[in-house]
Every structure is written in structure tokens, then in C-alpha cells.
Amino acid sequence: MRLWMRIAMVLGLTLAILVPLTMVRGVVQERQDYRRQVVADIARSYAGPQTFAGPVLVVPYQEVVEVEEADRAGIVRTTRKTVSRQWTFFPKTLAVEGGLKPGIRRRNLHEVRVYEWHGSAKAAFEVAIPADPGTERGRRIGQPYLSYAISDVRGLRGPTLQVGQRTLEVEQGRAPGHVGGEGLHALLPPLPPLPPGQLHRVQTELRLVLAGTERFSLVPLGDQNRFSLTSSWPHPSFDGSSPRTRMIDADGFQAGWEIPGVASNAQQRWQSAKGDLAEDAATAIDRVSVSLIDPVDVYSKTDRATKYGLLFVLLTFIGFFIFELTKSLPIHPIQYGLVGLALAMFFLLLLSLSEHFPFGWSYLGAGIACIGLITFYLSAVLRSVMRALGFAAMLSTLYAALYGLLVSEDNALVLGAGLLFVVLAALMVVTRKVDWYQLGSRPNPSPARREPILSEP
């Protein structure tokens, strides 16, 4: 077989191995989808990812306004109507703090991280009720109330609210008469108008326990916001505004935020979205979030590993090809294909084992199984145990390098680039004396008489 035909065969077999590698990646995706379903099922029975916002102080009122309307004859007339409106006041200062107590919920092979937030929200308001515009408008001020938004009130446990020196009862819904499970509200004593320059000062503190799944978020609705979160979970992931202070170690984390209202769009978005915290309605609301992540996500690591599968197969086939050139020992295409399938099988073994055992041990077990099988097979194909051990050493080095890429996410790019450079350098060193023109100008000699064709040093 001429050189170009053998090169085409190697490339064709390499591309053919993409089929089982793609199938393995499909299995990884299916398992990831199944885990997401498990998370959703547990969230439905426990509580979903939580977002806590508030309080805001709302003062409803009614007043008479003049409107122009056309009657049945088309004549425009001015009429008076009573309309309901409200003033919304955001806290001057908002301080939210508490601890996230992590836990694990298990279903089948999957573990889902849950938590209970034992927190408090302290807010200070300065409220100025505008003076009545006149008796002709007949403004009537209703009873003010505090409103808190919670994305999933099923996780709420024992809230207590103190306003000044009084303890008030909290009720379901973000507003009086609101029956949806979107938050809490509490009715306040009436706030009469004050002379110009004077303000109602209201101090509030809500204490509660809020259970949720995997992610917890806070919305900076105050003019000045201070948030503080602690937890014994050692692997947090922060989203939104970065913490001003943070400390993460094996015992957990502590994080603090200081966010001025002018640096956030939360108040404007709250007004436009009417306090809706649903993900599809308020994705643009500024919030700070912390997720309790799993640093050993077997599915993401296995998916990343399969991306290097083609490189493993290609390097192994190139090794076979170089071996044929230098040792005059032909290797049949079926033998290429069986070794390629064994390499692809590594990733399926890794996925299946890592669902039951720690990822490191699963990687070691899958690597030993596949390298051992390939070494046993190549000892017969290459007619030498030492030659097979040489290929085993090469594969072991590649697997060790891949493991380093998987466990070092921050340095994955530089390590991957370095690995590719070393592999290319090794190929160039090994083939630097091959005379490709002479080798491709005539058919390969028979296996019994074939000799490597090298250029003179």
C-alpha cells in the first residue's frame, strides 16, 4: 500500500472513531438532562432557587381626577373619576445578613444541594407624604404596608417582623388582597401628612428561615445596601456584583457586599416589573447571588474529557503509523479500529464509574482497564511485550496529562496548549529523518524485506 493510501486510511479511521465518541457525548448529555430533572423534582417538593427582595413601603391612596371622554354622540366631555394609586418608598439603608446551612438531598444516583437561610433584613425608611392637592380632588390615603418579595414561599419558615418597638403580623402576598405565593406583607399604622421638611422615620426588621435549592439571591433595593452571607459550604460561586470582601477556606465562606442604590437598576426594574421576581419577567433586575456548586461535577468533567478523545485516537494512530515506517511491521486497519474503540470505551467507563465512586478513583479505574486491554492486545499485534509497554507508557502519559487538565480548570488552557506543543515536538523529533518523497514514490516493500527509509543525518 502506497504511503498516501495508508495516510488516507489512518485519517479515515480517525474520523470513523468520531461516531462512538459522539455517542458517548450523547450519553453524557442524557445523564446531565436527567440530573436537571432530578433537581427540578426536588425543587418542586422542597423549594426552588430563592431570591429575596425588600422591604418596600407602599402607601396606597385614591383621588379624583378629571378625564376627557367622548360620549356616544362623539362629543368630548370632561368627567371626574376616582382612581387608585400608590406611593412606593425604598429603604434609605438596607442591611441583610444571615447564614446558609447547606444540606444534601439524594435521589437515585444524584445528589442535589439544598440550604436553609437563617437571615434578617433591617431597613430604615424616611417617608414624606405629599400634602393634599385640594378638596376638589378628594385624596384619601389608605393604610400603608410593607412588602417583601420571595420567589418561592414554600421554603418560608417562621417569619417575625418588628417595626419600631412593635411586633406585627405578616401575611401572605406582597400586597393586601394579593393571594399569590410571591412574598409577604404587613399592614402599618396610618402615616398622616406632615408639615414640609418633616419625615416619618420607620425602622423595620424581618427575621426568617428560608429554604431553597442550590442558589440564593438578594436584590439591592435600598439607597445604601449592605449584604453579608456566611456558610459552611467550601465551594461557592458568586454571580452578579462581586463581594467587596470574601474569605473562602475548607470551613466555608464569608462574603460581604456594599452596593449604593445609584450603582444598581433594582429600584427602576422593581417599579416596571411591579416587584415580580420570576426569572422570565425580571432577569434584568440587579441581584447578587451565591450558588452552592459541586467542584467534582462528573458530567461536566467527562464531557470535557471526551473533547480530547479525538486527539488521543489520532496520536495513537500516528504512533502506529510511525511504528510501521520504522519497524517494518504492518498493522491491519481492523487492528487500528479495535484499538480506537478501546480508547473510546474509556470515556463511557469513566462516566459509568464516576456515578458510583469518586471521580479520581473512577478515572484511575477506567484508565487502568483500557490501557491494560490495549497493552494485552498490542503485545500480540506488535509481536513484542516491550513494544506494547511503550505504547502503554505513551497512553499513560496522555491520560495523566488529561487528568491534570480536568482538575485544574483555571489553568486548563495553558496546560492544554502546552500538551499539544509537547506532542507536536515529539512527532517532529521522531519523524525528522524520514524522507517522505522517497517513501511515497514507490510501493512499500513486503513486510519480510521492508526497511525504514531515512534520510542521511
Side-chain angles (χ1 to χ4, degrees):
M1 184 183 299
R2 288 186 174 273
L3 175 64
W4 67 267
M5 295 179 61
R6 186 163 292 277
I7 293 176
M9 179 204 71
V10 171
L11 293 177
L13 287 172
T14 302
L15 294 177
I17 297 299
L18 279 176
V19 175
L21 287 176
T22 302
M23 295 175 66
V24 172
R25 294 196 67 182
V27 174
V28 174
Q29 185 63 45
E30 289 178 1
R31 303 302 289 179
Q32 287 179 315
D33 293 340
Y34 181 67
R35 186 190 181 279
R36 282 191 284 268
Q37 294 176 6
V38 170
V39 173
D41 291 341
I42 290 179
R44 282 193 292 268
S45 61
Y46 185 71
Q50 293 286 12
T51 297
F52 176 83
V56 295
L57 196 156
V58 180
V59 181
Y61 65 93
Q62 291 181 335
E63 66 180 0
V64 178
V65 298
E66 294 181 348
V67 296
E68 293 183 348
E69 294 182 341
D71 58 16
R72 294 182 179 180
I75 301 175
V76 177
R77 301 180 183 275
T78 300
T79 60
R80 291 186 177 185
K81 286 189 175 181
T82 301
V83 296
S84 297
R85 295 173 176 171
Q86 66 182 32
W87 295 301
T88 300
F89 299 95
F90 294 98
K92 283 295 180 181
T93 61
L94 175 62
V96 182
E97 59 185 11
L100 291 170
K101 182 180 179 182
I104 297 293
R105 292 291 180 95
R106 292 179 173 83
R107 181 170 298 180
N108 299 331
L109 298 175
H110 301 284
E111 294 183 348
V112 178
R113 294 164 297 283
V114 298
Y115 61 82
E116 284 189 349
W117 178 56
H118 297 252
S120 68
K122 298 179 181 179
F125 294 89
E126 295 181 357
V127 180
I129 303 297
D132 195 319
T135 56
E136 71 279 359
R137 297 189 57 176
R139 177 183 292 169
R140 291 182 297 172
I141 298 177
Q143 187 169 11
Y145 61 90
L146 289 172
S147 178
Y148 297 85
I150 298 172
S151 56
D152 192 345
V153 294
R154 293 175 303 165
L156 191 61
R157 311 282 190 271
T160 60
L161 175 63
Q162 189 165 351
V163 179
Q165 302 299 319
R166 301 175 57 185
T167 299
L168 301 183
E169 181 180 359
V170 294
E171 301 178 32
Q172 185 180 7
R174 290 182 292 104
H178 183 80
V179 296
E182 299 176 349
L184 302 171
H185 75 273
L187 299 176
L188 299 178
L191 299 175
L194 294 176
Q198 296 187 22
L199 301 171
H200 293 283
R201 288 180 169 82
V202 181
Q203 301 284 337
T204 71
E205 180 178 3
L206 176 70
R207 294 185 176 274
L208 73 164
V209 177
L210 189 61
T213 303
E214 294 197 343
R215 188 179 75 252
F216 178 69
S217 304
L218 296 170
V219 178
L221 287 176
D223 293 338
Q224 294 292 332
N225 303 272
R226 290 189 298 106
F227 298 153
S228 176
L229 293 176
T230 61
S231 178
S232 59
W233 188 261
H235 308 291
S237 175
F238 299 106
D239 299 315
S241 298
S242 298
R244 184 179 180 87
T245 61
R246 71 170 75 185
M247 184 181 69
I248 304 173
D249 56 27
D251 297 325
F253 72 88
Q254 297 179 2
W257 293 261
E258 293 184 8
I259 305 174
V262 294
S264 170
N265 68 1
Q267 294 182 3
Q268 292 79 10
R269 293 295 183 180
W270 177 276
Q271 296 276 30
S272 61
K274 298 181 181 180
D276 190 356
L277 293 181
E279 291 294 335
D280 58 347
T283 54
I285 289 183
D286 284 345
R287 64 188 78 191
V288 298
S289 302
V290 59
S291 299
L292 308 183
I293 64 172
D294 183 2
V296 188
D297 185 346
V298 297
Y299 301 113
S300 61
K301 289 184 181 296
T302 304
D303 183 65
R304 289 174 56 201
T306 57
K307 295 177 182 178
Y308 291 90
L310 183 63
L311 175 64
F312 278 36
V313 174
L314 180 61
L315 290 178
T316 303
F317 285 179
I318 290 176
F320 285 170
F321 181 72
I322 299 298
F323 191 86
E324 287 189 83
L325 293 180
T326 58
K327 298 299 181 182
S328 302
L329 184 64
I331 300 176
H332 196 274
I334 292 180
Q335 295 169 327
Y336 273 88
L338 290 175
V339 172
L341 289 175
L343 292 172
M345 184 62 65
F346 163 79
F347 302 102
L348 187 60
L349 281 176
L350 174 62
L351 174 63
S352 59
L353 291 175
S354 60
E355 290 187 332
H356 299 272
F357 306 103
F359 183 80
W361 290 109
S362 300
Y363 192 95
L364 180 62
I368 290 176
C370 289
I371 293 176
L373 175 62
I374 292 173
T375 303
F376 172 76
Y377 182 69
L378 290 183
S379 63
V381 173
L382 303 180
R383 303 174 188 177
S384 171
V385 174
M386 295 305 297
R387 294 171 179 173
L389 291 176
F391 273 94
M394 179 195 72
L395 290 176
S396 299
T397 302
L398 288 176
Y399 281 126
L402 176 60
Y403 185 77
L405 291 176
L406 297 179
V407 299
S408 181
E409 296 187 6
D410 294 339
N411 301 315
L413 179 60
V414 64
L415 292 177
L419 173 63
L420 292 177
F421 178 81
V422 170
V423 169
L424 177 61
L427 290 176
M428 293 175 69
V429 169
V430 171
T431 62
R432 69 188 188 279
K433 295 183 179 181
V434 175
D435 189 341
W436 299 102
Y437 284 106
Q438 182 180 0
L439 188 63
S441 63
R442 58 191 178 94
N444 291 337
S446 62
R449 301 179 55 188
R450 184 166 51 186
E451 296 295 334
I453 302 177
L454 304 177
S455 63
E456 293 298 330

